[in-house]
Amino acid sequence: MSNALAIDSTAAWDAGWWLAAERRYSPNFNARPEGTTVDLVVLHHISLPPGVFGGDEVAAFFENRLNPSGNAELEAIAHLQVSAHFFLRRGGLLQQFVSCDDRAWQAGVSCWHGRHTCNDYSIGIEIEGDAVQPFTAAQYTALDPLLAAIAARYPVRAVTTHSEIAAGRKVDPGPTFDFSRLARRWAV
């Protein structure tokens, strides 16, 4: 699915997989703690190598098949085991790497309103970008139905940023992300 306008927020779910997204598989996940309520969405940005868009490196990173090919920035992270539930490409293509019923390894050391270990109770959305270049209209168009679908399935109380849950450690999605472009206003 490459056209963001084709994403339907009413699309069905299958065991935590949203059927409107292209399904990919990351081995970097585990079960959420018993009785956990998924009530937070965390927005991130990612580009690999930094500032480069459109390649396969992000998917390869989430799938533990990243080939650094002599790139020092990629060599520094190739050994890490990282994932997100969703990855939203610049053109609006939405890929899902981990079932939302499982815990993706996206937030690291984190705290939201006094609750630590945000991976336990959040859904992570990586948006292809950086803290320098603006995000695309196609990404905002695709993000709205995704957030609506998540909120329809899970009791989401807030959408926040990696920079908010890992203050001083992370900056994403950064100053170029425009929350006013989202259809619904979320508590951030």
Side-chain angles (χ1 to χ4, degrees):
M1 177 176 300
S2 61
N3 183 348
L5 298 176
I7 294 178
D8 177 5
S9 66
T10 63
W13 290 83
D14 177 25
W17 293 91
W18 191 41
L19 299 181
E22 175 188 297
R23 194 178 295 195
R24 304 286 297 255
Y25 296 95
S26 174
N28 305 325
F29 72 94
N30 56 359
R32 294 183 189 275
E34 187 72 29
T36 298
T37 298
V38 177
D39 60 6
L40 183 67
V41 174
V42 179
L43 302 179
H44 307 259
H45 76 241
I46 190 168
S47 59
L48 293 176
V52 176
F53 308 130
D56 185 51
E57 286 79 8
V58 173
F61 185 45
F62 292 161
E63 296 169 344
N64 294 345
R65 55 179 186 81
L66 183 63
N67 180 357
S69 300
N71 181 300
E73 291 164 322
L74 297 182
E75 286 176 359
I77 65 167
H79 68 284
L80 299 175
Q81 294 182 327
V82 177
S83 63
H85 294 94
F86 295 97
F87 177 46
L88 180 53
R89 305 297 302 251
R90 307 273 306 161
L93 173 68
L94 182 65
Q95 298 173 318
Q96 186 172 359
F97 287 84
V98 174
S99 164
C100 292
D101 293 345
D102 290 318
R103 176 173 47 196
W105 302 344
Q106 40 105 10
V109 176
S110 53
C111 183
W112 173 250
H113 292 198
R115 293 169 64 201
H116 294 272
T117 317
C118 295
N119 284 346
D120 288 352
Y121 56 90
S122 69
I123 293 173
I125 302 172
E126 291 277 4
I127 307 168
E128 189 173 30
D130 56 22
V132 178
Q133 300 179 56
F135 293 90
T136 68
Q139 288 174 307
Y140 291 106
T141 299
L143 191 55
D144 277 333
L146 172 59
L147 291 173
I150 292 169
R153 176 160 170 91
Y154 300 92
V156 173
R157 295 186 307 153
V159 175
T160 191
T161 64
H162 202 185
S163 60
E164 289 294 320
I165 65 169
R169 189 173 67 83
K170 295 293 183 176
V171 300
D172 51 318
T176 59
F177 187 81
D178 184 359
F179 271 95
S180 73
R181 301 223 20 210
L182 299 180
R184 178 177 171 186
R185 299 301 166 246
W186 296 90
V188 178

